[in-house]
């Protein structure tokens, strides 16, 4: 039987790139918001974001700056009365990384 996640953490990731580069910042702004199963926006949701470069906390909806990393960004959100939400943002190489390779 397919498991349904009732609590969604949504990330506004324009380009979660890998390592820092000399052409771009080593930090990445990440917009975090959470919705329930009906799609209703939730507020005051405790979220933690973690990759190999560190761990950050934020109360959603909000934006947090995280260190770019070559690995994935794992997000976990919790709010009383709601099931926990988990999300993995897959890291991928951005245009800035290709500039570093050329240099």
């Amino acid at each position: 039987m397919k498991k349904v996640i009732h609590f969604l953490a949504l990330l506004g990731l324009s380009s979660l790139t890998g390592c820092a580069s000399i052409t771009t910042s080593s930090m990445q702004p990440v917009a975090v918001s959470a919705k329930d199963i009906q799609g209703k926006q939730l507020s005051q949701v405790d979220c933690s974001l973690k990759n190999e470069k560190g761990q950050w906390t934020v109360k959603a909806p909000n934006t947090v700056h995280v260190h770019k990393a070559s690995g994935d960004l794992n997000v976990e959100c919790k709010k009383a009365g709601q099931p926990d939400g988990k999300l993995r943002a897959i890291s991928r190489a951005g245009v800035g990384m290709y500039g570093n390779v050329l240099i």
Side-chain angles (χ1 to χ4, degrees):
M1 184 157 91
K2 193 178 198 183
K3 184 177 179 183
V4 177
I5 298 176
H6 295 283
F7 183 81
L8 303 175
L10 303 176
L11 297 177
L13 299 172
S14 58
S15 62
L16 183 64
T17 59
C19 56
S21 76
I22 59 173
T23 58
T24 62
S25 171
S26 65
M27 300 297 284
Q28 172 76 42
V30 178
V32 182
S33 63
K35 295 181 179 183
D36 64 13
I37 190 72
Q38 290 81 27
K40 179 183 170 194
Q41 182 78 30
L42 298 173
S43 62
Q44 298 299 305
V45 181
D46 295 312
C47 296
S48 64
L49 298 83
K50 185 177 182 180
N51 65 23
E52 72 258 14
K53 298 286 184 157
Q55 184 169 344
W56 302 266
T57 58
V58 64
K59 275 210 188 280
N62 210 336
T63 300
V64 63
H65 286 79
V66 302
H67 280 279
K68 294 179 184 178
S70 59
D72 298 342
L73 179 67
N74 294 301
V75 182
E76 187 170 346
C77 293
K78 298 179 180 211
K79 182 173 174 91
Q82 297 287 337
D84 293 351
K86 293 184 180 184
L87 177 129
R88 177 183 294 166
I90 307 299
S91 181
R92 64 179 187 270
V95 175
M97 188 198 77
Y98 296 113
N100 286 345
V101 172
L102 294 174
I103 292 171

